[in-house]
Amino acid sequence: MSGTRAFRVAATGARVVTGVVVAAACVLGVVTAVHAPWPVIRHDPAQVDVTPLPGDSVLVCNGDLRALGRDASNPLEMRSAGSPSLTVGGTSGDPASEGLPAQDLEGAREAQVLTGAVEGRSAPLIAGAESVTVAADDLAGFAALPCGTPRLESWLVGGSTGTGTEDVVVLTNAAEVPSTVTLTVYGNVRSTRTAVVPARTQVSLPLSSFAAGNDAPVVEVSAAGAPVRAVLQSSLVRVLDPVGIDLQDVVAGPQQNLVLTGVESFVSAGDDAEMAVLRLLSPGADARVDVRVRAEGSTSVADEFTVPLEPDLPAQVSLSGLEPGRYTVEVEADAPVVAALRQQDGFGLDSDFAWVTPAPELEADVVFAVPTGPSPRLQLVNTSEEDATVTLESVDGGQPREVVVDAGTTTGIDVSPRTTYRMRMTEPVHAAVTLTAPGALAVLPVRASAGVEESLTVYP
């Protein structure tokens, strides 16, 4: 082979090798680029957190207790069965009060609307609570209820249309325009009722008039035109003996994690299956619900079970076998649910019952009123992993009290009746006021105070 040809072969071989190397590098580069993050041109929208100017703080109270059937010729007529005692207070003194008439209730006092006027750029924190005791042939017992905020959407988880019950849904419209309210009943028998609540008045509807055939109903309350305050009044007569009354507040909406505190188990001479009963509903979806029961002051679980729920069908489960004492019930579900628990201290004359609704998580200062009633007590639940220090003081002055609520526990402290308190906490807590005596039960969850404005994220 000549030298020139040998050189050409060598040069060609070098080019081939170089080409293979370059091709391999290109392939490797492409493969790497496919799996590597590519440059992204992104424009984050401008945003700013804004706290809106507050409006006046407004709370609506329920007013007189209702009695059905006292006129045999008109069994659906309602009459006043008792006027409540009202306790109010706020961070700027007692709120202003204005009455609303109950046009369908003969002999009733006006229900009160509490208003805390804005001062400068802040609204005062206000609170109110009612309580009433009755002892009549058809109604007997003790009931208490905080004054609440009107809502466009809410749920009533309780009541019955069974034998001996005379339950009433009370709708209060404190606005200047009428409200059209749709009541949707979930239960063995589905039904819907629409009622118009005129401006600045109350309308009362017997539960049996639109939820007949349901021993364990759940009612969704939807308002259009103006928000309304919905309350469920329950009563029970066994044979001929009245055995309790209750006033139940609404549940704001379905959630996956609920805390019910203020639950109490009482000594039972017989079957305790009805002493504490939990009612659950999963709107529109199947749900698996895990329920845990813990005694006050303990981190250990006293009872634990799972409840499968079908869509739109209420279920009830008994918390039987609990030792007498105070408890917190934690509900955790894989879909949003609503829940409430009915507890009672006996079965015959001189007994009472109360519905316990979920206590929301509290992170900011709150003001709550303790109404007239027996042995008032504040139950505090800390579900976090950090101990919480809660400071409690009367809005009228006085020495502040501090209580440490250990992580994962419930703590109870005595409070005074007819007193309004301001509460601060270092960690989120759940809270409820209980009032308990033989033949007298009530549980009032503590909710975020009217007048607290949360910041909003605004995107220009």
Side-chain angles (χ1 to χ4, degrees):
M1 177 183 298
S2 66
T4 302
R5 185 175 181 181
F7 176 77
R8 289 176 179 173
V9 170
T12 300
R15 285 196 296 271
V16 170
V17 172
T18 302
V20 170
V21 171
V22 171
C26 290
V27 170
L28 180 62
V30 170
V31 172
T32 303
V34 167
H35 294 282
W38 286 65
V40 176
I41 299 176
R42 183 178 64 186
H43 297 284
D44 292 328
Q47 64 185 60
V48 61
D49 290 336
V50 176
T51 301
L53 292 176
D56 293 344
S57 304
V58 177
L59 293 175
V60 177
C61 306
N62 188 63
D64 279 24
L65 202 69
R66 273 85 172 152
L68 272 170
R70 288 187 171 179
D71 183 354
S73 64
N74 187 7
L76 294 182
E77 181 189 36
M78 297 187 196
R79 296 184 178 181
S80 173
S83 297
S85 169
L86 177 61
T87 300
V88 301
T91 53
S92 296
D94 290 350
S97 181
E98 183 181 3
L100 293 183
Q103 296 178 350
D104 60 346
L105 188 60
E106 182 180 343
R109 294 183 184 176
E110 293 182 326
Q112 298 300 304
V113 178
L114 310 178
T115 303
V118 170
E119 300 173 352
R121 299 176 65 88
S122 64
L125 304 183
I126 63 172
E130 300 171 295
S131 62
V132 60
T133 300
V134 295
D137 293 338
D138 57 344
L139 291 173
F142 172 79
L145 182 75
C147 302
T149 305
R151 299 179 181 273
L152 292 173
E153 299 286 339
S154 57
W155 295 75
L156 293 168
V157 188
S160 174
T161 61
T163 302
T165 62
E166 294 287 359
D167 294 358
V168 178
V169 174
V170 183
L171 304 172
T172 307
N173 177 11
E176 300 293 341
V177 296
S179 178
T180 301
V181 181
T182 302
L183 304 168
T184 304
V185 179
Y186 294 80
N188 297 325
V189 180
R190 294 292 300 271
S191 60
T192 301
R193 170 75 179 270
T194 299
V196 176
V197 186
R200 303 195 62 78
T201 190
Q202 284 185 319
V203 169
S204 304
L205 303 172
L207 185 63
S208 59
S209 69
F210 62 92
N214 291 295
D215 289 337
V218 173
V219 180
E220 181 182 7
V221 183
S222 302
V228 297
R229 172 83 192 286
V231 170
L232 177 62
Q233 175 188 311
S234 301
S235 63
L236 179 61
V237 174
R238 282 197 172 98
V239 189
L240 296 177
D241 295 328
V243 291
I245 59 173
D246 186 58
L247 291 169
Q248 182 186 350
D249 208 348
V250 295
V251 174
Q255 295 181 1
Q256 290 185 251
N257 295 280
L258 302 171
V259 175
L260 295 86
T261 191
V263 176
E264 190 161 356
S265 177
F266 298 89
V267 176
S268 174
D271 183 10
D272 66 349
E274 295 184 18
M275 297 297 286
V277 178
L278 179 66
R279 185 176 299 180
L280 298 157
L281 171 73
S282 174
D286 291 319
R288 174 188 170 92
V289 181
D290 295 322
V291 180
R292 290 180 296 275
V293 184
R294 289 187 173 88
E296 179 183 318
S298 174
T299 58
S300 61
V301 177
D303 193 11
E304 187 174 14
F305 52 88
T306 299
V307 183
L309 296 180
E310 299 178 28
D312 300 333
L313 186 62
Q316 293 197 146
V317 59
S318 172
L319 275 65
S320 58
L322 294 176
E323 295 294 326
R326 300 182 177 93
Y327 295 88
T328 291
V329 177
E330 299 176 20
V331 174
E332 183 176 346
D334 60 4
V337 299
V338 292
L341 185 145
R342 185 186 186 277
Q343 61 184 24
Q344 62 188 47
D345 62 358
F347 296 97
L349 194 63
D350 298 328
S351 61
D352 198 12
F353 68 90
W355 281 95
V356 183
T357 54
E361 186 176 76
L362 305 172
E363 298 181 298
D365 290 10
V366 295
V367 168
F368 64 93
V370 181
T372 300
S375 305
R377 185 178 175 85
L378 178 66
Q379 300 292 116
L380 297 166
V381 184
N382 179 6
T383 59
S384 71
E385 298 180 354
E386 301 290 335
D387 294 348
T389 300
V390 176
T391 303
L392 194 67
E393 60 181 325
S394 167
V395 295
D396 295 331
Q399 188 66 27
R401 287 187 290 168
E402 283 192 357
V403 58
V404 176
V405 187
D406 295 336
T409 66
T410 300
T411 298
I413 59 173
D414 293 335
V415 290
S416 300
R418 295 194 63 80
T419 304
T420 302
Y421 291 93
R422 182 169 187 164
M423 184 169 69
R424 301 180 176 90
M425 64 291 297
T426 58
E427 296 290 335
V429 297
H430 305 259
V433 175
T434 65
L435 300 110
T436 309
L441 295 178
V443 181
L444 289 68
V446 177
R447 306 187 185 279
S449 295
V452 176
E453 296 291 343
E454 298 182 356
S455 61
L456 303 174
T457 301
V458 178
Y459 299 92

Short mmCIF file of all heavy atoms in Angstrom, two decimals, residues 339-387:
data_model
loop_
_atom_site.label_atom_id
_atom_site.label_comp_id
_atom_site.label_asym_id
_atom_site.label_seq_id
_atom_site.Cartn_x
_atom_site.Cartn_y
_atom_site.Cartn_z
N ALA A 339 -72.11 15.82 61.79
CA ALA A 339 -72.32 14.93 62.94
C ALA A 339 -72.85 15.72 64.12
O ALA A 339 -72.63 16.93 64.25
CB ALA A 339 -71.01 14.23 63.32
N ALA A 340 -73.53 15.02 65.00
CA ALA A 340 -73.96 15.56 66.30
C ALA A 340 -74.24 14.37 67.20
O ALA A 340 -74.48 13.24 66.73
CB ALA A 340 -75.20 16.44 66.17
N LEU A 341 -74.19 14.60 68.50
CA LEU A 341 -74.37 13.52 69.47
C LEU A 341 -75.46 13.89 70.46
O LEU A 341 -75.45 14.99 71.01
CB LEU A 341 -73.05 13.25 70.20
CG LEU A 341 -73.03 12.07 71.17
CD1 LEU A 341 -71.66 11.38 71.14
CD2 LEU A 341 -73.33 12.50 72.61
N ARG A 342 -76.39 12.97 70.68
CA ARG A 342 -77.47 13.16 71.64
C ARG A 342 -77.13 12.42 72.93
O ARG A 342 -76.85 11.23 72.92
CB ARG A 342 -78.79 12.65 71.08
CG ARG A 342 -80.00 12.91 71.97
CD ARG A 342 -81.22 12.23 71.40
NE ARG A 342 -82.44 12.55 72.14
CZ ARG A 342 -82.83 11.94 73.26
NH1 ARG A 342 -82.08 10.97 73.77
NH2 ARG A 342 -83.96 12.29 73.85
N GLN A 343 -77.15 13.14 74.05
CA GLN A 343 -76.88 12.52 75.35
C GLN A 343 -78.05 12.80 76.29
O GLN A 343 -78.72 13.82 76.17
CB GLN A 343 -75.58 13.04 75.95
CG GLN A 343 -75.57 14.54 76.23
CD GLN A 343 -74.23 15.03 76.72
OE1 GLN A 343 -73.20 14.41 76.48
NE2 GLN A 343 -74.23 16.15 77.41
N GLN A 344 -78.28 11.89 77.22
CA GLN A 344 -79.36 12.06 78.18
C GLN A 344 -78.92 11.51 79.53
O GLN A 344 -78.00 10.68 79.62
CB GLN A 344 -80.64 11.36 77.72
CG GLN A 344 -80.51 9.85 77.54
CD GLN A 344 -81.74 9.24 76.89
OE1 GLN A 344 -82.23 9.75 75.89
NE2 GLN A 344 -82.24 8.14 77.46
N ASP A 345 -79.57 12.01 80.60
CA ASP A 345 -79.17 11.59 81.94
C ASP A 345 -80.18 10.63 82.58
O ASP A 345 -80.05 10.30 83.76
CB ASP A 345 -78.97 12.81 82.85
CG ASP A 345 -80.25 13.62 83.04
OD1 ASP A 345 -81.28 13.27 82.44
OD2 ASP A 345 -80.20 14.62 83.79
N GLY A 346 -81.17 10.19 81.84
CA GLY A 346 -82.15 9.25 82.38
C GLY A 346 -83.25 8.99 81.38
O GLY A 346 -83.21 9.48 80.23
N PHE A 347 -84.27 8.24 81.83
CA PHE A 347 -85.35 7.84 80.92
C PHE A 347 -86.72 8.30 81.38
O PHE A 347 -87.67 8.27 80.61
CB PHE A 347 -85.36 6.31 80.77
CG PHE A 347 -84.13 5.76 80.13
CD1 PHE A 347 -83.09 5.26 80.91
CD2 PHE A 347 -83.98 5.75 78.76
CE1 PHE A 347 -81.94 4.74 80.33
CE2 PHE A 347 -82.83 5.23 78.16
CZ PHE A 347 -81.81 4.73 78.96
N GLY A 348 -86.85 8.72 82.60
CA GLY A 348 -88.17 9.03 83.11
C GLY A 348 -88.33 10.48 83.51
O GLY A 348 -87.57 11.36 83.09
N LEU A 349 -89.33 10.72 84.33
CA LEU A 349 -89.61 12.06 84.81
C LEU A 349 -88.38 12.65 85.49
O LEU A 349 -87.61 11.94 86.13
CB LEU A 349 -90.79 12.02 85.79
CG LEU A 349 -91.44 13.34 86.17
CD1 LEU A 349 -92.07 14.01 84.96
CD2 LEU A 349 -92.49 13.10 87.27
N ASP A 350 -88.19 13.97 85.35
CA ASP A 350 -87.05 14.69 85.91
C ASP A 350 -85.72 14.32 85.25
O ASP A 350 -84.65 14.45 85.86
CB ASP A 350 -86.94 14.46 87.42
CG ASP A 350 -88.14 14.98 88.18
OD1 ASP A 350 -88.72 15.99 87.73
OD2 ASP A 350 -88.53 14.37 89.19
N SER A 351 -85.76 13.88 84.01
CA SER A 351 -84.54 13.67 83.23
C SER A 351 -84.50 14.70 82.11
O SER A 351 -85.46 15.41 81.85
CB SER A 351 -84.48 12.25 82.67
OG SER A 351 -85.57 12.00 81.81
N ASP A 352 -83.37 14.78 81.44
CA ASP A 352 -83.19 15.77 80.38
C ASP A 352 -82.23 15.21 79.34
O ASP A 352 -81.53 14.22 79.58
CB ASP A 352 -82.66 17.09 80.96
CG ASP A 352 -82.87 18.28 80.02
OD1 ASP A 352 -83.62 18.14 79.03
OD2 ASP A 352 -82.27 19.35 80.26
N PHE A 353 -82.16 15.85 78.19
CA PHE A 353 -81.22 15.46 77.14
C PHE A 353 -80.65 16.71 76.49
O PHE A 353 -81.19 17.83 76.64
CB PHE A 353 -81.90 14.56 76.08
CG PHE A 353 -82.93 15.26 75.25
CD1 PHE A 353 -82.60 15.90 74.07
CD2 PHE A 353 -84.27 15.28 75.64
CE1 PHE A 353 -83.55 16.54 73.29
CE2 PHE A 353 -85.24 15.92 74.88
CZ PHE A 353 -84.88 16.55 73.69
N ALA A 354 -79.57 16.53 75.74
CA ALA A 354 -78.93 17.65 75.04
C ALA A 354 -78.22 17.12 73.81
O ALA A 354 -77.62 16.03 73.84
CB ALA A 354 -77.94 18.38 75.94
N TRP A 355 -78.29 17.88 72.72
CA TRP A 355 -77.53 17.58 71.52
C TRP A 355 -76.19 18.30 71.60
O TRP A 355 -76.12 19.49 71.91
CB TRP A 355 -78.28 18.02 70.28
CG TRP A 355 -79.37 17.08 69.87
CD1 TRP A 355 -80.70 17.16 70.18
CD2 TRP A 355 -79.22 15.92 69.06
NE1 TRP A 355 -81.39 16.12 69.63
CE2 TRP A 355 -80.51 15.34 68.92
CE3 TRP A 355 -78.14 15.29 68.43
CZ2 TRP A 355 -80.73 14.17 68.19
CZ3 TRP A 355 -78.36 14.14 67.69
CH2 TRP A 355 -79.64 13.58 67.57
N VAL A 356 -75.11 17.57 71.29
CA VAL A 356 -73.75 18.12 71.27
C VAL A 356 -73.32 18.25 69.82
O VAL A 356 -73.26 17.24 69.09
CB VAL A 356 -72.77 17.24 72.04
CG1 VAL A 356 -71.38 17.87 72.07
CG2 VAL A 356 -73.26 16.99 73.46
N THR A 357 -73.05 19.46 69.36
CA THR A 357 -72.59 19.70 68.00
C THR A 357 -71.09 19.97 68.00
O THR A 357 -70.49 20.28 69.03
CB THR A 357 -73.34 20.88 67.37
OG1 THR A 357 -73.23 22.02 68.23
CG2 THR A 357 -74.82 20.54 67.18
N PRO A 358 -70.42 19.82 66.84
CA PRO A 358 -68.96 19.99 66.80
C PRO A 358 -68.51 21.37 67.26
O PRO A 358 -69.14 22.39 66.97
CB PRO A 358 -68.63 19.76 65.32
CG PRO A 358 -69.74 18.90 64.81
CD PRO A 358 -70.96 19.37 65.54
N ALA A 359 -67.40 21.38 67.98
CA ALA A 359 -66.77 22.63 68.42
C ALA A 359 -65.66 22.96 67.42
O ALA A 359 -64.72 22.18 67.26
CB ALA A 359 -66.20 22.47 69.82
N PRO A 360 -65.73 24.09 66.72
CA PRO A 360 -64.72 24.42 65.71
C PRO A 360 -63.39 24.75 66.35
O PRO A 360 -63.29 25.08 67.54
CB PRO A 360 -65.32 25.64 65.01
CG PRO A 360 -66.23 26.25 66.02
CD PRO A 360 -66.78 25.12 66.83
N GLU A 361 -62.34 24.67 65.53
CA GLU A 361 -61.01 25.03 66.01
C GLU A 361 -60.90 26.54 66.15
O GLU A 361 -61.32 27.30 65.28
CB GLU A 361 -59.96 24.52 65.02
CG GLU A 361 -58.53 24.72 65.49
CD GLU A 361 -57.52 24.12 64.52
OE1 GLU A 361 -57.30 24.73 63.46
OE2 GLU A 361 -56.98 23.04 64.82
N LEU A 362 -60.33 26.98 67.28
CA LEU A 362 -60.18 28.40 67.59
C LEU A 362 -58.70 28.75 67.59
O LEU A 362 -57.91 28.12 68.28
CB LEU A 362 -60.80 28.71 68.95
CG LEU A 362 -62.27 28.32 69.14
CD1 LEU A 362 -62.68 28.51 70.60
CD2 LEU A 362 -63.16 29.13 68.22
N GLU A 363 -58.34 29.78 66.81
CA GLU A 363 -56.94 30.20 66.74
C GLU A 363 -56.74 31.63 67.21
O GLU A 363 -55.65 31.99 67.65
CB GLU A 363 -56.44 30.08 65.29
CG GLU A 363 -56.45 28.66 64.75
CD GLU A 363 -55.92 28.59 63.33
OE1 GLU A 363 -56.53 29.22 62.44
OE2 GLU A 363 -54.90 27.92 63.12
N ALA A 364 -57.78 32.45 67.12
CA ALA A 364 -57.69 33.86 67.51
C ALA A 364 -58.55 34.10 68.74
O ALA A 364 -59.31 33.23 69.18
CB ALA A 364 -58.14 34.75 66.36
N ASP A 365 -58.41 35.30 69.32
CA ASP A 365 -59.19 35.66 70.50
C ASP A 365 -60.69 35.47 70.24
O ASP A 365 -61.18 35.78 69.15
CB ASP A 365 -58.95 37.12 70.87
CG ASP A 365 -57.55 37.34 71.42
OD1 ASP A 365 -56.72 36.42 71.33
OD2 ASP A 365 -57.29 38.44 71.94
N VAL A 366 -61.40 34.97 71.23
CA VAL A 366 -62.84 34.81 71.13
C VAL A 366 -63.50 35.36 72.39
O VAL A 366 -62.89 35.44 73.46
CB VAL A 366 -63.26 33.34 70.93
CG1 VAL A 366 -62.75 32.80 69.62
CG2 VAL A 366 -62.80 32.48 72.09
N VAL A 367 -64.75 35.76 72.24
CA VAL A 367 -65.58 36.17 73.37
C VAL A 367 -66.80 35.26 73.38
O VAL A 367 -67.41 35.02 72.35
CB VAL A 367 -66.01 37.65 73.23
CG1 VAL A 367 -67.09 38.01 74.23
CG2 VAL A 367 -64.80 38.56 73.42
N PHE A 368 -67.14 34.72 74.55
CA PHE A 368 -68.31 33.85 74.67
C PHE A 368 -69.05 34.16 75.97
O PHE A 368 -68.45 34.60 76.95
CB PHE A 368 -67.93 32.37 74.62
CG PHE A 368 -67.06 31.91 75.76
CD1 PHE A 368 -67.63 31.36 76.92
CD2 PHE A 368 -65.68 32.01 75.70
CE1 PHE A 368 -66.84 30.93 77.96
CE2 PHE A 368 -64.87 31.59 76.76
CZ PHE A 368 -65.46 31.04 77.89
N ALA A 369 -70.35 33.94 75.95
CA ALA A 369 -71.20 34.23 77.11
C ALA A 369 -71.64 32.93 77.76
O ALA A 369 -71.98 31.96 77.08
CB ALA A 369 -72.42 35.04 76.68
N VAL A 370 -71.61 32.91 79.08
CA VAL A 370 -72.10 31.77 79.87
C VAL A 370 -73.47 32.17 80.43
O VAL A 370 -73.56 33.10 81.22
CB VAL A 370 -71.14 31.42 81.01
CG1 VAL A 370 -71.67 30.22 81.81
CG2 VAL A 370 -69.74 31.12 80.48
N PRO A 371 -74.54 31.49 80.02
CA PRO A 371 -75.88 31.90 80.47
C PRO A 371 -76.17 31.43 81.88
O PRO A 371 -75.37 30.72 82.51
CB PRO A 371 -76.80 31.21 79.45
CG PRO A 371 -76.05 29.96 79.10
CD PRO A 371 -74.60 30.34 79.10
N THR A 372 -77.33 31.80 82.38
CA THR A 372 -77.79 31.27 83.66
C THR A 372 -77.99 29.77 83.53
O THR A 372 -78.58 29.29 82.56
CB THR A 372 -79.13 31.93 84.04
OG1 THR A 372 -78.93 33.34 84.14
CG2 THR A 372 -79.66 31.39 85.35
N GLY A 373 -77.50 29.02 84.50
CA GLY A 373 -77.65 27.57 84.45
C GLY A 373 -76.80 26.90 85.50
O GLY A 373 -75.96 27.52 86.16
N PRO A 374 -77.01 25.58 85.68
CA PRO A 374 -76.33 24.86 86.76
C PRO A 374 -74.90 24.46 86.41
O PRO A 374 -74.60 24.01 85.31
CB PRO A 374 -77.20 23.61 86.92
CG PRO A 374 -77.78 23.38 85.56
CD PRO A 374 -77.97 24.75 84.96
N SER A 375 -74.00 24.67 87.38
CA SER A 375 -72.61 24.18 87.33
C SER A 375 -71.93 24.41 85.98
O SER A 375 -71.46 23.45 85.33
CB SER A 375 -72.57 22.69 87.67
OG SER A 375 -73.17 22.43 88.91
N PRO A 376 -71.84 25.64 85.51
CA PRO A 376 -71.20 25.86 84.20
C PRO A 376 -69.72 25.51 84.22
O PRO A 376 -69.01 25.76 85.20
CB PRO A 376 -71.43 27.35 83.94
CG PRO A 376 -71.63 27.95 85.29
CD PRO A 376 -72.29 26.89 86.12
N ARG A 377 -69.28 24.93 83.11
CA ARG A 377 -67.90 24.45 83.02
C ARG A 377 -67.43 24.64 81.58
O ARG A 377 -68.18 24.41 80.63
CB ARG A 377 -67.86 22.98 83.42
CG ARG A 377 -66.50 22.33 83.50
CD ARG A 377 -66.67 20.88 83.95
NE ARG A 377 -65.43 20.13 83.95
CZ ARG A 377 -64.56 20.13 84.95
NH1 ARG A 377 -64.82 20.82 86.04
NH2 ARG A 377 -63.44 19.43 84.88
N LEU A 378 -66.18 25.04 81.41
CA LEU A 378 -65.59 25.22 80.09
C LEU A 378 -64.69 24.02 79.79
O LEU A 378 -63.74 23.74 80.52
CB LEU A 378 -64.78 26.51 80.03
CG LEU A 378 -64.05 26.79 78.70
CD1 LEU A 378 -65.05 27.02 77.57
CD2 LEU A 378 -63.11 27.99 78.85
N GLN A 379 -65.04 23.29 78.72
CA GLN A 379 -64.23 22.16 78.27
C GLN A 379 -63.29 22.64 77.17
O GLN A 379 -63.73 23.25 76.19
CB GLN A 379 -65.12 21.05 77.73
CG GLN A 379 -66.11 20.48 78.73
CD GLN A 379 -65.43 19.71 79.84
OE1 GLN A 379 -65.51 20.10 81.00
NE2 GLN A 379 -64.76 18.64 79.51
N LEU A 380 -61.99 22.35 77.30
CA LEU A 380 -60.96 22.77 76.35
C LEU A 380 -60.27 21.53 75.80
O LEU A 380 -59.81 20.67 76.56
CB LEU A 380 -59.94 23.68 77.03
CG LEU A 380 -60.48 25.02 77.56
CD1 LEU A 380 -59.48 25.66 78.50
CD2 LEU A 380 -60.81 25.96 76.41
N VAL A 381 -60.18 21.45 74.48
CA VAL A 381 -59.57 20.30 73.80
C VAL A 381 -58.39 20.78 72.97
O VAL A 381 -58.52 21.71 72.18
CB VAL A 381 -60.58 19.58 72.89
CG1 VAL A 381 -59.95 18.32 72.28
CG2 VAL A 381 -61.84 19.23 73.66
N ASN A 382 -57.25 20.10 73.15
CA ASN A 382 -56.05 20.41 72.37
C ASN A 382 -55.70 19.17 71.55
O ASN A 382 -55.22 18.18 72.08
CB ASN A 382 -54.90 20.78 73.31
CG ASN A 382 -53.61 21.09 72.56
OD1 ASN A 382 -53.60 21.13 71.33
ND2 ASN A 382 -52.53 21.28 73.30
N THR A 383 -55.98 19.21 70.25
CA THR A 383 -55.68 18.07 69.39
C THR A 383 -54.32 18.18 68.72
O THR A 383 -53.95 17.30 67.94
CB THR A 383 -56.76 17.94 68.29
OG1 THR A 383 -56.79 19.14 67.51
CG2 THR A 383 -58.13 17.68 68.90
N SER A 384 -53.56 19.26 69.01
CA SER A 384 -52.26 19.45 68.38
C SER A 384 -51.19 18.66 69.14
O SER A 384 -51.47 17.98 70.13
CB SER A 384 -51.91 20.94 68.36
OG SER A 384 -51.62 21.40 69.66
N GLU A 385 -49.96 18.77 68.66
CA GLU A 385 -48.84 18.07 69.28
C GLU A 385 -48.07 18.96 70.26
O GLU A 385 -47.06 18.53 70.81
CB GLU A 385 -47.90 17.54 68.20
CG GLU A 385 -48.56 16.52 67.28
CD GLU A 385 -47.62 16.00 66.21
OE1 GLU A 385 -46.50 16.54 66.12
OE2 GLU A 385 -48.00 15.08 65.48
N GLU A 386 -48.53 20.20 70.45
CA GLU A 386 -47.90 21.13 71.37
C GLU A 386 -48.88 21.50 72.48
O GLU A 386 -50.08 21.62 72.25
CB GLU A 386 -47.46 22.41 70.64
CG GLU A 386 -46.48 22.18 69.50
CD GLU A 386 -45.10 21.74 70.00
OE1 GLU A 386 -44.78 22.07 71.17
OE2 GLU A 386 -44.38 21.09 69.23
N ASP A 387 -48.35 21.68 73.69
CA ASP A 387 -49.20 22.13 74.80
C ASP A 387 -49.73 23.53 74.49
O ASP A 387 -49.05 24.34 73.87
CB ASP A 387 -48.41 22.16 76.11
CG ASP A 387 -47.98 20.76 76.56
OD1 ASP A 387 -48.49 19.78 75.99
OD2 ASP A 387 -47.14 20.66 77.48
#
